[in-house]
DNA sequence: CTAACGTTTGTCCAATCGGTCAAAAAATTG
DNA sequence: CAATTTTTTGACCGATTGGACAAACGTTAG
């Protein structure tokens, strides 16, 4: 009957250590570009030892992806039609930007997966993600009908928020290179936050 | 003295064929995720035959990247302060969106490179790209001083245009999955164009 | 025809890959 | 302590990889 056999303290610790190292490696090299040896090195253990905790490279990656998705969609879940629409959207943009700042590795892991055609999470995109977006698009559409925000395509609005915020994680090296060492430092996320708020609220047309 | 020995007709033809096949393969699998055999298969020739035209996998990739960058920055080059600022920016957004539609493979190749830390093009980002952005940021800053467009950060404005347009190439499978088979079709770029124009011009705050 | 040159491929090689295994080393339990 | 279980590792395996090479094939010029 093979009971699950609850994990020892060492097991949970080491598994966590491996997952953190693997996130480093996978997020910068992609799945195929990463080797078990690299991950084992980064985790400070031998390859067979790593394979004692995870039965394959796929297994590590799958665990990582699954965990990622839970936290990744949380900000979108939080959108509801209770508060003020513009405040709600501003808060969503801010949360997404904070995630790009605080969890850039997760963002890049996700980007790598999508770039390569999402072979491992396609069903999830068409299922859970699509219905979540559909649901939030309806809320946004309601705001538009009530004249609370401008009339536009709610789905492309969501895309544009994803794109602009995740850009600071996924294209980090480019952003840093262009801004130079001065503003490539810590201030760039504050600058981005200010800019995005203005863009999404009022656009570029000058006031008159 | 080893003259360059001008290439035969077959050589230029086959090299082009290989580059096209390699663009397919590299853009969906990344550099390390792609094999010479895959590229050779896609080009309809044997591996040694391919290596007769390019001396290594690196060589193919480098050629591809170099070529990409020439065309990739062309739209940004075209921005000047002769025309009307808002029209100029609208045109830039449109051109970038058309490139995402017509050259998605190039966009993904670039994204893959940046995601992995831009190991092969870092100097170019800090040199050519940075100075080009600096130059255009100055033009945009001028428009802002003249009150032609709203006061904001010109560099983050450029980032947001890159992010929102390239998103439709790099995250294509996600966009399609979320929009569903109906709007995942051909119309999505038109929808995106309409949405982005409104976003960048007037934002989301309702008119009153 | 034949010599010269450009093109193509089958075969091979060393390095690296994901993963196995048995045996040693630690840790835990009685 | 000894017995048992968990953890760690060195050695190894078959498959895949990037690339080399020489031989074969094709084409063209004399």
């Amino acid at each position: 009957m093979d009971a699950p056999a609850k994990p020892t303290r060492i097991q949970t610790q080491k598994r966590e250590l491996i997952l953190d190292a693997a996130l480093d490696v996978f997020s910068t090299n992609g799945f195929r570009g990463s080797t078990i040896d690299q991950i084992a090195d980064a985790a400070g253990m031998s390859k067979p030892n790593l394979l004692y905790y995870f039965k394959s490279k796929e297994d590590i990656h799958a665990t990582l992806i699954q965990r990622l998705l839970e936290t990744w969609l949380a900000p979108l879940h939080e959108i509801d039609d209770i508060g003020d629409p513009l405040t709600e959207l501003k808060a969503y943009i801010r949360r997404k930007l904070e995630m790009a700042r605080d969890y850039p590795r997760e963002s890049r892991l996700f980007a790598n997966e999508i770039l390569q055609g999402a072979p491992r999470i396609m069903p999830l995109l068409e299922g859970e993600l699509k219905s979540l977006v559909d649901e939030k698009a309806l809320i946004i559409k309601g705001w538009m009908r009530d004249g609370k925000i401008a009339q536009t395509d709610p789905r492309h609005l969501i895309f544009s928020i994803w794109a602009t915020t995740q850009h600071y994680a996924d294209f980090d090296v480019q952003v840093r290179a262009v801004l130079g060492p001065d503003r490539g430092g810590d201030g760039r996320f504050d600058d981005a936050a200010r800019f995005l708020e203005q863009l999404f609220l009022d656009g570029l047309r000058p006031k008159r």
Side-chain angles (χ1 to χ4, degrees), chain A:
Chain A
M1 279 304 150
D2 231 357
K6 65 183 162 200
T8 66
R9 176 184 45 85
I10 281 192
Q11 267 166 357
T12 40
Q13 258 181 7
K14 294 274 167 134
R15 278 181 66 96
E16 221 51 43
L17 183 71
I18 291 170
L19 285 175
D20 188 72
L23 184 54
D24 264 0
V25 176
F26 279 138
S27 67
T28 52
N29 301 110
F31 181 77
R32 279 219 47 184
S34 306
T35 71
I36 298 185
D37 272 313
Q38 281 175 35
I39 301 172
D41 273 2
M45 62 179 71
S46 65
K47 181 168 65 172
N49 195 12
L50 183 148
L51 285 167
Y52 170 73
Y53 292 103
F54 287 90
K55 73 173 192 295
S56 71
K57 182 179 164 186
E58 273 275 349
D59 189 18
I60 308 175
H61 193 260
T63 307
L64 232 33
I65 287 274
Q66 187 184 342
R67 211 179 263 211
L68 154 73
L69 288 168
E70 289 169 16
T71 57
W72 208 239
L73 295 178
L76 186 54
H77 269 291
E78 291 181 29
I79 290 185
D80 55 48
D81 51 357
I82 295 178
D84 170 59
L86 283 182
T87 314
E88 201 79 24
L89 284 174
K90 262 167 54 182
Y92 178 55
I93 293 169
R94 186 169 36 74
R95 275 195 298 268
K96 283 292 290 180
L97 193 58
E98 281 166 2
M99 291 196 61
R101 183 192 60 195
D102 300 334
Y103 305 99
R105 300 180 303 172
E106 281 82 351
S107 185
R108 280 194 282 266
L109 181 70
F110 186 72
N112 260 308
E113 186 64 16
I114 300 292
L115 255 185
Q116 273 146 45
R120 296 161 235 273
I121 56 169
M122 197 47 161
L124 197 138
L125 295 185
E126 290 168 327
E128 198 176 331
L129 178 65
K130 175 172 169 29
S131 58
L132 179 59
V133 170
D134 284 346
E135 174 195 331
K136 301 306 178 183
L138 261 174
I139 294 180
I140 296 174
K141 206 72 192 165
W143 292 340
M144 293 175 183
R145 256 195 307 275
D146 298 346
K148 301 284 194 180
I149 66 174
Q151 292 275 352
T152 184
D153 189 316
R155 262 165 274 254
H156 287 271
L157 169 57
I158 292 174
F159 292 155
S160 69
I161 294 175
W162 290 348
T164 50
T165 54
Q166 290 173 11
H167 186 81
Y168 290 96
D170 303 343
F171 287 72
D172 181 57
V173 296
Q174 192 188 41
V175 168
R176 284 170 179 271
V178 167
L179 292 182
D182 36 333
R183 256 340 194 168
D186 295 349
R188 70 191 192 283
F189 279 99
D190 295 328
D191 293 347
R194 265 190 300 276
F195 167 79
L196 290 179
E197 176 164 335
Q198 173 172 349
L199 173 66
F200 280 94
L201 286 188
D202 296 305
L204 297 173
R205 207 192 295 275
K207 305 258 178 64
R208 45 185 55 259

